[in-house]
Amino acid sequence: MNTLFAIALVFVGCCSNVVFLELLVRDFPGCGNIVTFAQFAFIALEGFIFETDFGRKKPHIPLSNYVIMVTMFFTVSVINNYALNFNIAMPLHMIFRSGSLIANMILGIIILKKRYSANKYLSIVLVSVGIFICTIMSAKQVNAEKGATEEDGFYAFMHWLLGIAMLTFALLMSARMGIFQETLYKEYGKHSKEALFYNHFLPLPGFLLLSTDIYKHTVLFSQSSPVEVPLIGLSVPVLWLYLLMNIVTQYVCIRGVFFLTTECASLTVTLVVTLRKFLSLIISILYFHNPFTAWHWFGTAVVFLGTLLYTEVWSSVRAPMKGEKVDKKAE
């Protein structure tokens, strides 16, 4: 029952979060900083009250290590959001970020000297091919839609290419952060709720560097069309309502994933998160009528096929059907 509840939280929270984020981004593509700041502030406030007991509880992991991890986390969050300013469509944004397996494997081989099975190498090839197909198809759309003249088309393409470079850098930085976090957990033990708090609390002063952009979007949000909030009967600017719902659903999403990790094996968590990403992608395409060709669908299918192959879902599903025990280490 707890597992079903956790899965419901992940799907409802994360998929709803994508919808409200896209509602914000469609009006103001550059609003990522104010969205990120609002999410960080909310999660930091909740953690300060319930995790650190108003600062009275000492962290298990030294703050100096959190500062390093937080620097990477803050950089990844800001760059991922800022990339939306560079003609990056939301579906491509989601597909590209699904390439975290590639970055994790590459850095795992380079830094941790890891070696993987043939199936995992095959899965990474599939994910890479799928992302490459979607990226190429999106590049053609940028040239076709934005290029009124040859010069305008070249500028639009270079603008889009910069966004792709930002997503690639954020992907590698996120993988490096994951490796660093893994080493910390091995040394000090897993403290997920504590890490969640410090990852969102410590970066807050960094938003002072983005204060001008945040203030600009605060004004723009306040000038959006008013809408009446049900039950309360008050009228508020619609973008502030979208932002509030984005924050709440983001919190539900994060808590759902955390709850799921305590109830299920890591394989199950990975499978649920992967299926959630696929559902979010479909919602984004169908609800917002984002341009998505047959090649995009093919590339997306290849990405998720590679992801499922990496998690060894097929062997884990077949094992219980044959009466075999699933190896916990594989999970």
Side-chain angles (χ1 to χ4, degrees):
M1 191 67 181
N2 287 339
T3 302
L4 291 176
F5 178 68
I7 293 174
L9 284 180
V10 172
F11 275 92
V12 173
C14 298
C15 292
S16 300
N17 177 258
V18 170
V19 171
F20 288 112
L21 176 60
E22 187 149 2
L23 285 170
L24 290 165
V25 169
R26 287 174 77 87
D27 283 336
F28 298 105
C31 70
N33 290 332
I34 189 173
V35 173
T36 305
F37 171 70
Q39 292 174 351
F40 275 45
F42 180 83
I43 294 173
L45 178 62
E46 188 273 343
F48 182 72
I49 297 172
F50 297 105
E51 170 59 24
T52 70
D53 191 22
F54 295 94
R56 289 192 288 264
K57 180 182 176 182
K58 293 184 177 180
H60 295 87
I61 299 176
L63 280 178
S64 57
N65 289 316
Y66 274 125
V67 169
I68 298 172
M69 186 162 63
V70 159
T71 301
M72 291 187 282
F73 183 64
F74 177 76
T75 303
V76 168
S77 298
V78 171
I79 290 179
N80 270 327
N81 284 323
Y82 200 66
L84 293 170
N85 288 349
F86 294 83
N87 300 333
I88 303 294
M90 186 62 75
L92 179 62
H93 194 276
M94 287 188 281
I95 294 168
F96 213 90
R97 293 181 69 177
S98 298
S100 56
L101 289 177
I102 305 171
N104 289 339
M105 178 175 279
I106 291 173
L107 293 189
I109 293 172
I110 295 174
I111 298 175
L112 301 179
K113 309 300 181 184
K114 285 185 176 182
R115 292 296 178 266
Y116 299 90
S117 65
N119 279 345
K120 283 187 166 43
Y121 285 118
L122 175 60
S123 71
I124 293 305
V125 170
L126 289 174
V127 172
S128 303
V129 169
I131 292 177
F132 178 77
I133 291 172
C134 290
T135 304
I136 292 298
M137 291 301 106
S138 296
K140 289 184 177 180
Q141 287 180 344
V142 169
N143 283 332
E145 295 173 8
K146 303 294 183 180
T149 66
E150 186 174 342
E151 184 178 350
D152 290 340
F154 176 77
Y155 174 77
F157 176 73
M158 295 305 295
H159 197 64
W160 173 86
L161 203 60
L162 182 57
I164 293 296
M166 293 172 70
L167 287 178
T168 303
F169 176 80
L171 204 62
L172 292 172
M173 179 67 78
S174 180
R176 183 65 185 90
M177 182 184 71
I179 292 174
F180 182 71
Q181 189 171 2
E182 184 180 332
T183 58
L184 288 182
Y185 283 169
K186 284 182 180 178
E187 184 174 354
Y188 299 101
K190 287 188 176 182
H191 304 282
S192 302
K193 291 182 70 175
E194 177 183 289
L196 181 66
F197 165 70
Y198 284 105
N199 276 347
H200 289 82
F201 173 73
L202 292 179
L204 289 179
F207 285 100
L208 290 173
L209 300 173
L210 309 170
S211 57
T212 302
D213 181 72
I214 292 173
Y215 176 75
K216 182 184 78 173
H217 283 91
T218 299
V219 174
L220 292 173
F221 278 24
S222 299
Q223 294 172 348
S224 61
S225 303
V227 62
E228 187 171 325
V229 181
L231 302 178
I232 302 177
L234 294 176
S235 293
V236 298
V238 65
L239 289 183
W240 282 117
L241 182 62
Y242 290 159
L243 180 61
L244 175 62
M245 294 306 299
N246 177 267
I247 295 169
V248 172
T249 52
Q250 172 75 359
Y251 178 74
V252 172
C253 175
I254 291 176
R255 296 299 293 172
V257 173
F258 170 76
F259 191 27
L260 197 63
T261 58
T262 62
E263 294 290 328
C264 307
S266 59
L267 174 64
T268 305
V269 176
T270 304
L271 177 59
V272 170
V273 171
T274 300
L275 293 176
R276 191 279 302 170
K277 287 180 179 179
F278 188 68
L279 181 59
S280 296
L281 180 65
I282 293 175
I283 292 172
S284 175
I285 294 164
L286 298 181
Y287 185 78
F288 293 101
H289 305 290
N290 283 307
F292 218 69
T293 66
W295 279 106
H296 282 97
W297 281 113
F298 177 71
T300 302
V302 173
V303 168
F304 284 101
L305 176 63
T307 302
L308 294 176
L309 180 63
Y310 186 90
T311 59
E312 299 178 356
V313 169
W314 313 122
S315 58
S316 299
V317 170
R318 286 199 305 267
M321 294 175 65
K322 294 181 179 179
E324 301 173 359
K325 291 184 178 180
V326 178
D327 185 5
K328 290 291 182 181
K329 290 182 181 180
E331 298 182 347

